[in-house]
Amino acid sequence: MAEDNRKVLRVRGAEARDFLQGLVTNDVARLDHGAVYAALLTPQGKYLADFFLIPDGADVLIDADAEQAAALKQRLMMYKLRSPVEIEDTDITVSRGLGDAPEGAFADPRHASMGWRGYAGQPGEAVDWDALRVAACVPQTGVELTPDTFILEVGFERLNGVDHRKGCYVGQEVTARMKHKTELRKGLARVAVDGSAPVGTEILSGEKVAGTLLTQADGHALAYLRFDRAGVDMSAGAAKVHWDG
């Protein structure tokens, strides 16, 4: 079972890893040990796209959200300049499953509960991935991850998606400043929900807006919260929201 919402790009050439190293949030050298989760940011440190880097000989595959792939390819081409690499579309499909990764597949680097990802036609499994994401507080492209996102606010450190020691990349200065000089006042959290509300519903603590309700599953949800306003008893539309801090 292929994931229809994914598109795989190929960065071809002997300098593919060096090219990506100066752009993405994670250390491309980790490809020696498996799949790498990373993001591409704006120079102002905001989210543009997240993806998995997959080793394929001297080449690197980029497993990206299908709706972001064309813009991601265009942005990479902008940075390419005279780098001796090629950035190509592929027909490679992505399959996913739980348990030990089959031969040729890669463990999802974000969280052990997120299973494996395959690129060689491995049979996938029908799984409630949203429920697993909520349980592990893993954000989703286009839902919890938007053009207004700062990656440290949505847990990229916990999800093995950023390396603060790798050196420069696009948006690194802002990300480093957030890491070392500020305390996060807003961010993604897992909350309990009694009832349901549309994704994007404001969460109220008393009369103050305390955040936004996002993906919901099995009585819990991901929420983007203002930590100074969030409390034990909140509401989102007709739903009751509980955050224990």
Side-chain angles (χ1 to χ4, degrees):
M1 181 183 298
E3 294 282 307
D4 294 334
N5 63 339
R6 306 300 293 181
K7 176 74 175 177
V8 179
L9 304 175
R10 179 183 296 277
V11 183
R12 184 187 298 279
E15 296 186 21
R17 295 191 181 191
D18 290 339
F19 167 69
L20 291 168
Q21 181 74 336
L23 298 176
V24 305
T25 58
N26 214 335
D27 188 352
V28 177
R30 295 184 181 185
L31 286 169
D32 290 338
H33 306 289
V36 174
Y37 182 54
L40 185 66
L41 308 180
T42 69
Q44 295 75 35
K46 290 193 173 184
Y47 168 91
L48 278 174
D50 65 312
F51 39 80
F52 300 90
L53 303 178
I54 307 298
D56 188 28
D59 299 348
V60 180
L61 303 179
I62 302 178
D63 167 3
D65 182 89
E67 293 187 2
Q68 290 186 334
L72 175 60
K73 179 183 178 183
Q74 184 178 25
R75 181 62 64 115
L76 293 175
M77 292 294 293
M78 182 185 76
Y79 285 122
K80 177 180 176 295
L81 300 176
R82 296 183 180 181
S83 298
V85 299
E86 299 298 328
I87 303 161
E88 306 168 349
D89 295 318
T90 78
D91 295 325
I92 294 171
T93 59
V94 180
S95 55
R96 300 177 69 187
L98 299 178
D100 294 334
E103 184 176 356
F106 299 83
D108 189 317
R110 296 173 298 177
H111 193 278
S113 68
M114 298 302 293
W116 53 264
R117 309 180 72 85
Y119 304 90
Q122 295 93 342
E125 301 176 35
V127 174
D128 187 345
W129 295 108
D130 276 348
L132 291 178
R133 287 199 307 104
V134 170
C137 203
V138 175
Q140 173 69 41
T141 308
V143 184
E144 290 83 24
L145 297 171
T146 75
D148 290 324
T149 297
F150 290 103
I151 60 170
L152 297 191
E153 292 183 343
V154 292
F156 260 61
E157 291 176 291
R158 173 177 51 81
L159 299 170
N160 303 307
V162 59
D163 189 316
H164 295 293
R165 299 169 297 178
K166 61 161 284 186
C168 293
Y169 57 86
V170 179
Q172 182 264 343
E173 183 177 348
V174 175
T175 305
R177 188 160 61 245
M178 290 185 70
K179 167 68 175 175
H180 297 294
K181 295 185 178 180
T182 63
E183 180 178 351
L184 295 180
R185 296 178 294 177
K186 299 178 289 185
L188 194 67
R190 182 172 179 262
V191 298
V193 179
D194 182 6
S196 64
V199 169
T201 299
E202 285 187 340
I203 297 173
L204 299 179
S205 180
E207 297 182 353
K208 294 183 177 180
V209 176
T212 306
L213 191 66
L214 300 165
T215 305
Q216 300 150 64
D218 298 337
H220 288 85
L222 299 182
Y224 185 74
L225 297 179
R226 281 191 54 169
F227 299 132
D228 61 333
R229 292 185 178 179
V232 173
D233 297 312
M234 299 181 289
S235 63
K240 296 180 179 179
V241 179
H242 171 89
W243 181 60
D244 61 12

